[in-house]
Amino acid sequence: MSTLTIEDDHFELDGEPFRILAGAMHYFRVHPAYWKDRLLKLKAMGLNTVETYVAWNLHEPHEGEFHFGDWLNIERYIELAGELGLYVIVRPGPYICAEWEMGGLPAWLLKDPQMQLRCMYQPYLDAVGEYFSQLMRRLVPLQSTRGGPIIAMQVENEYGSYGNDTRYIKYLEELLRQCGVDVLLFTADGVSDEMMQYGGLPHLFKAVNFGNRPGDAFDKLREYQTSGPLLVAEFWDGWFDHWGERHHTRSAGDVARVLDDLLSEGASVNLYMFHGGTNFGFMNGANAFPSPHYTPTVTSYDYDAPLSECGDITPKYEALREVIGKYVDLPEMPDFPPVVKQAYGKVELDEWAPLLSQVDALSTPEYSTVPLPMEMYDQ
């Protein structure tokens, strides 16, 4: 059994100094057949921890209907990481952002016309409570304090970018503890006064999210957390794409330089993303900026990450591995087999059908005297 603790300006694990070197990889964006390959590549890069969000809307697509098998077998994902010698950080939300449909919140919440999300609205809290009871009874036995690989969990997600109901953050903290979570809890927010003030609680450990200028970010963090280790919960090494935009890229040299800077400060870090994967189905999220323009995310979540969407090692991977090697002893680089790909060639569509003429084949009619939101029809 292991416990991650805070001692002065550093973390300790079982009484020994420990630096978190993590990479984000979401189990629900990667086919389970590839979990092991991707996790081994994460470890080979010199990282010791994998971080993942938990997508509530996948696990409870309809109220009271829970799924934790196959692609959604988060227990197996965490167990596999532990078997490979990795620790795990879990970010269960309930809101996760993650460029995911409704930030992971299930659409059926909106069937309540009075619904108020991410605050002390009792029907919302009741739904969160039922979800956490189902999720945590699977995760609690996998905590490092019980012999598993989970060393920390996040409370909510970047709440300072959304609201200021600190009673809600306190409620979630207490709910997690009531469910049996006894590992380190933390919050993570962007680098601004408003985000740092509203995103957490004085006694909860604070982490920051950014992509550049680590010195400025740490100075701001120290205004609100004067002691303790520095943790970058999200170091943005790439970015996501919206429909109609060019693919976002960030040079390997630039990312390596900033990573070197923050590691030289003694900070712990989570690379967001290590391996992005894919927004399967219709789970790609959307933004509304520049307001009021609707900007949906594309299906790919490649993110220009060190490990590409199809699992290839990239020059960015190699550059970041070299930087990490300045601070820890790197494992020997395995001879990974090439990722098998298939080119399907040119696909020609020579038939089409007007949408409205196919309505009867696609749906059944619902009648209302006034238009209603899609969620009222379980869409």
Side-chain angles (χ1 to χ4, degrees):
M1 294 188 294
S2 304
T3 303
L4 182 71
T5 59
I6 294 172
E7 304 295 336
D8 298 324
D9 63 348
H10 63 276
F11 292 111
E12 289 191 1
L13 194 62
D14 291 339
E16 296 294 329
F18 182 76
R19 188 201 292 249
I20 298 170
L21 297 172
M25 186 176 111
H26 307 148
Y27 62 97
F28 50 86
R29 281 180 159 130
V30 182
H31 192 288
Y34 304 131
W35 285 351
K36 184 175 182 178
D37 172 79
R38 306 322 191 235
L39 289 170
L40 285 171
K41 288 172 179 173
L42 183 148
K43 184 177 181 180
M45 190 173 165
L47 304 177
N48 55 31
T49 304
V50 61
E51 174 269 308
T52 185
Y53 279 127
V54 185
W56 180 7
N57 55 4
L58 293 182
H59 290 289
E60 192 181 5
H62 304 284
E63 186 173 7
E65 178 187 307
F66 292 95
H67 299 274
F68 287 96
D70 301 324
W71 284 53
L72 301 178
N73 194 340
I74 185 174
E75 292 170 274
R76 180 57 196 143
Y77 182 72
I78 293 171
E79 289 169 349
L80 177 60
E83 292 166 7
L84 299 177
L86 293 167
Y87 296 105
V88 179
I89 293 174
V90 178
R91 303 169 78 185
Y95 177 84
I96 62 172
C97 183
E99 293 72 60
W100 194 253
E101 164 68 14
M102 204 170 154
L105 299 178
W108 52 261
L109 288 171
L110 301 182
K111 294 182 74 173
D112 175 357
Q114 306 300 318
M115 178 55 65
Q116 301 173 43
L117 303 172
R118 303 176 75 187
C119 67
M120 293 295 288
Y121 178 63
Q122 195 58 50
Y124 170 73
L125 298 178
D126 292 343
V128 172
E130 180 59 27
Y131 164 56
F132 270 18
S133 71
Q134 294 286 333
L135 176 63
M136 294 306 159
R137 68 185 182 90
R138 293 169 167 83
L139 299 190
V140 162
L142 298 175
Q143 296 178 107
S144 61
T145 51
R146 318 289 176 95
I150 299 174
I151 57 173
M153 289 196 198
Q154 181 177 286
V155 181
E156 241 280 349
N157 184 68
E158 294 184 321
Y159 189 70
S161 300
Y162 175 78
N164 61 1
D165 188 353
T166 53
R167 295 182 306 152
Y168 168 60
I169 301 299
K170 180 64 176 175
Y171 180 90
L172 290 180
E173 177 198 11
E174 293 176 348
L175 178 61
L176 288 168
R177 293 307 190 198
Q178 291 167 8
C179 289
V181 175
D182 55 10
V183 294
L184 177 72
L185 294 180
F186 68 97
T187 58
D189 286 280
V191 184
S192 77
D193 289 305
E194 181 177 355
M195 294 174 185
M196 297 299 296
Q197 288 170 9
Y198 299 148
L201 299 169
H203 66 279
L204 279 177
F205 181 72
K206 297 175 177 60
V208 285
N209 301 338
F210 61 82
N212 275 301
R213 300 166 60 187
D216 292 346
F218 295 149
D219 286 345
K220 179 58 65 178
L221 174 61
R222 282 298 184 222
E223 293 180 23
Y224 296 94
Q225 186 166 265
T226 57
S227 62
L230 300 170
L231 172 60
V232 185
E234 292 183 13
F235 170 48
W236 305 320
D237 52 22
W239 204 246
F240 58 95
D241 297 329
H242 293 124
W243 285 102
E245 296 176 346
R246 291 183 179 273
H247 175 48
H248 286 85
T249 60
R250 183 178 180 186
S251 73
D254 181 47
V255 177
R257 174 186 60 80
V258 179
L259 178 63
D260 198 3
D261 288 346
L262 70 87
L263 291 179
S264 70
E265 296 277 355
S268 289
V269 64
N270 175 48
L271 301 177
Y272 193 97
M273 299 288 296
F274 166 75
H275 174 49
T278 305
N279 297 316
F280 295 105
F282 296 102
M283 286 293 130
N284 53 306
N287 294 106
F289 57 79
S291 181
H293 299 286
Y294 177 74
T295 52
T297 306
V298 301
T299 301
S300 170
Y301 202 65
D302 175 78
Y303 210 87
D304 192 34
L307 205 66
S308 73
E309 181 176 11
C310 62
D312 282 332
I313 289 172
T314 68
K316 185 177 290 184
Y317 177 107
E318 295 168 345
L320 299 189
R321 186 175 190 269
E322 182 177 348
V323 170
I324 292 168
K326 295 172 59 177
Y327 299 91
V328 298
D329 294 330
L330 293 173
E332 183 177 347
M333 190 67 180
D335 185 17
F336 290 109
V339 177
V340 178
K341 307 178 186 69
Q342 176 67 51
Y344 292 97
K346 185 176 181 180
V347 178
E348 294 186 3
L349 303 179
D350 55 12
E351 291 184 276
W352 66 281
L355 175 62
L356 294 182
S357 68
Q358 308 302 311
V359 166
D360 289 341
L362 296 171
S363 62
T364 55
E366 297 276 357
Y367 297 95
S368 174
T369 55
V370 295
L372 294 175
M374 291 189 301
E375 294 83 8
M376 295 299 181
Y377 299 114
D378 292 318
Q379 290 184 305

